[in-house]
Amino acid sequence: MRNRALLVMNLQRDYIGQDARMPVDSGQMPGLLEHVNSLVDDFAQEGSDILYIMNEFSPYDIIGNAFRQQAAVAGSPGAELDARVRIASGLRFAKRQGDAFSNPALAGYLAASGVSELVIAGVFAEGCVARTATAALRLGFLVTIPRRAVGGRNERQRDRAMKKLRRIGVAVSDQLA
């Protein structure tokens, strides 16, 4: 059996919380959290790694933070994982770019753990999820995205991102992985 890991991307208060600064489409939220938490349970039960990928932007990035509406500024309450997200491990990797592999510690950890397959869940389908999935393919990982465990700005953007990812070789599934 391949060694696989679950990447839980950016399920932080500033994206999915009640007072989110850059919110995911609210209609996607109940199902998104339900499906992500189910994946966390499944991966924990099988003994696979669960990694929490977090945006942490520098408080000194004035222009970028203005563009991002001050979302996920390092040390702010909005940069914390939303309390509704099930935590099954302490494996957390911070990033300041869309692609989670922009933090070299992630690739190092996955290589040291012998991971060959990634399941990616979280937000935003059209941004961080797509960039991370694309980078993972380039690095030789098999990549699966359970569509119901991924959110976007709106349905149209999420659907467009899923179609693009499928075209480049990502397994997009309507079933949980």
Side-chain angles (χ1 to χ4, degrees):
M1 180 174 168
R2 288 185 294 264
N3 192 8
R4 66 185 193 152
L6 173 64
L7 300 186
V8 177
M9 306 242 353
N10 307 331
L11 293 184
Q12 296 159 268
R13 291 171 53 184
D14 273 343
Y15 305 119
I16 66 169
Q18 297 264 341
D19 54 350
R21 293 175 182 268
M22 287 184 65
V24 169
D25 180 345
S26 61
Q28 296 173 11
M29 282 310 305
L32 171 71
L33 284 168
E34 176 186 338
H35 293 299
V36 170
N37 285 336
S38 180
L39 283 167
V40 169
D41 290 344
D42 292 347
F43 273 69
Q45 186 173 14
E46 74 182 36
S48 292
D49 284 338
I50 301 158
L51 293 78
Y52 297 88
I53 310 299
M54 314 277 287
N55 279 330
E56 280 189 9
F57 300 110
S58 169
Y60 304 107
D61 182 4
I62 307 297
I63 294 170
N65 288 334
F67 175 72
R68 290 184 294 273
Q69 301 167 21
Q70 307 300 319
V73 173
S76 71
E80 296 172 9
L81 274 174
D82 186 278
R84 297 169 292 173
V85 177
R86 200 156 291 133
I87 307 297
S89 84
L91 296 171
R92 294 187 187 193
F93 294 86
K95 64 183 182 65
R96 291 186 178 177
Q97 297 176 21
D99 171 9
F101 290 96
S102 63
N103 179 340
L106 175 61
Y109 177 85
L110 294 171
S113 300
V115 171
S116 60
E117 182 177 355
L118 297 176
V119 175
I120 302 175
V123 299
F124 282 90
E126 65 276 15
C128 297
V129 170
R131 288 185 186 102
T132 298
T134 301
L137 283 176
R138 265 196 323 270
L139 292 169
F141 292 97
L142 295 174
V143 181
T144 300
I145 296 179
R147 187 184 180 286
R148 296 180 296 167
V150 175
R153 271 265 187 235
N154 58 51
E155 279 297 317
R156 193 169 135 259
Q157 287 184 345
R158 179 173 72 172
D159 290 346
R160 185 180 305 151
M162 294 297 100
K163 286 177 186 172
K164 275 185 181 177
L165 289 168
R166 187 176 277 132
R167 279 195 305 268
I168 65 167
V170 172
V172 177
S173 173
D174 285 329
Q175 305 299 315
L176 294 179

